[in-house]
Amino acid sequence: MKLRKIALFVIFLLGLLASHTYSQIKHTGVPFIRNYDRDEYLAGRQIWGVAQDDHNVIYFANNSGVLEFDGTHWQLFPLSNRSVVRDVAVGDSGRVYMGGFNEFGYLQTRENGKRAYYSLTDKVPQGYRDFGEVWKILVTDNGVIFQSFSSVFFYSNGEIKVLAHDRNFHFAFYVGGDLYISEREGGWMKYNGQDFET
């Protein structure tokens, strides 16, 4: 009787060990994941948006500005008014666009080879500069769209065009060459070249 109990216990242990061994994750094919601590990148805790350029450099819209990470080094580019950066996008030319509270622009490489933030807000007509947070940046074939919850701006050939102002928008999307936006009371609308229509 005692031998039978010992045999059952040994079989139970072997079964437990076998099931545990087969349930382990195989390390072949599992990507390496590394978490970066705030002490490494030296910026705010929140990330609002992410973009990547053709050279595999990653840009993070952060509470302190745009964080650039090349796989080894971190660099921070704050907005000129030091507001939270809510979105970041990379254009076809590799230009990095960023936007925050009543402020948007792009990173530009200077003559010394270092990059710096260049504001486009001074190109916005005077009566439209109180637009709040830029939540979406959409790169199109013809230019760049900066969208807040009240306004939509289009940047092309060094000029800013106001597409809408003093509205109650939610988020915009650029799909198949068309700009769509959701208005809180009006629902989904499409930009027809002059205005947003349902």
Side-chain angles (χ1 to χ4, degrees):
M1 188 69 157
K2 200 173 197 182
L3 188 58
R4 181 185 255 181
K5 284 183 180 180
I6 292 173
L8 285 173
F9 181 72
V10 169
I11 292 171
F12 172 75
L13 277 179
L14 288 174
L16 186 64
L17 287 173
S19 67
H20 181 70
T21 303
Y22 287 115
S23 67
Q24 295 298 309
I25 296 174
K26 294 182 181 182
H27 293 285
T28 304
V30 176
F32 174 74
I33 296 173
R34 173 155 186 243
N35 292 318
Y36 290 91
D37 192 80
R38 189 175 173 212
D39 293 336
E40 292 178 84
Y41 61 81
L42 301 175
R45 293 185 191 278
Q46 283 185 294
I47 302 292
W48 296 97
V50 179
Q52 184 174 351
D53 69 14
D54 292 337
H55 303 288
N56 295 321
V57 176
I58 303 174
Y59 301 90
F60 300 92
N62 182 272
N63 281 1
S64 301
V66 164
L67 277 167
E68 177 186 81
F69 183 59
D70 64 6
T72 305
H73 301 97
W74 294 92
Q75 188 166 359
L76 178 66
F77 298 96
L79 292 173
S80 51
N81 65 1
R82 305 283 186 200
S83 71
V84 172
V85 175
R86 300 291 186 183
D87 200 14
V88 61
V90 177
D92 290 337
S93 64
R95 183 176 278 181
V96 179
Y97 296 94
M98 50 203 280
F101 182 76
N102 289 338
E103 179 67 40
F104 58 84
Y106 58 87
L107 296 180
Q108 178 172 298
T109 303
R110 296 192 172 167
E111 291 177 8
N112 62 6
K114 298 197 181 235
R115 291 163 57 109
Y117 174 71
Y118 177 77
S119 177
L120 293 171
T121 308
D122 61 336
K123 295 182 180 295
V124 175
Q126 193 67 38
Y128 300 95
R129 292 184 183 176
D130 186 19
F131 49 83
E133 303 272 0
V134 171
W135 284 95
K136 290 284 259 186
I137 302 172
L138 306 166
V139 176
T140 75
D141 293 336
N142 302 315
V144 181
I145 297 163
F146 296 90
Q147 183 247 319
S148 73
F149 288 154
S150 67
S151 304
V152 180
F153 303 99
F154 182 69
Y155 174 67
S156 180
N157 298 321
E159 300 294 323
I160 298 283
K161 179 181 177 184
V162 180
L163 303 186
H165 185 68
D166 201 22
R167 301 285 287 268
N168 196 7
F169 292 129
H170 198 239
F171 287 114
F173 299 91
Y174 188 71
V175 181
D178 292 316
L179 175 62
Y180 296 91
I181 197 163
S182 172
E183 190 167 37
R184 292 182 192 273
E185 290 79 29
W188 282 102
M189 297 181 291
K190 178 181 173 181
Y191 188 69
N192 64 15
Q194 301 294 320
D195 199 3
F196 288 95
E197 61 181 6
T198 53

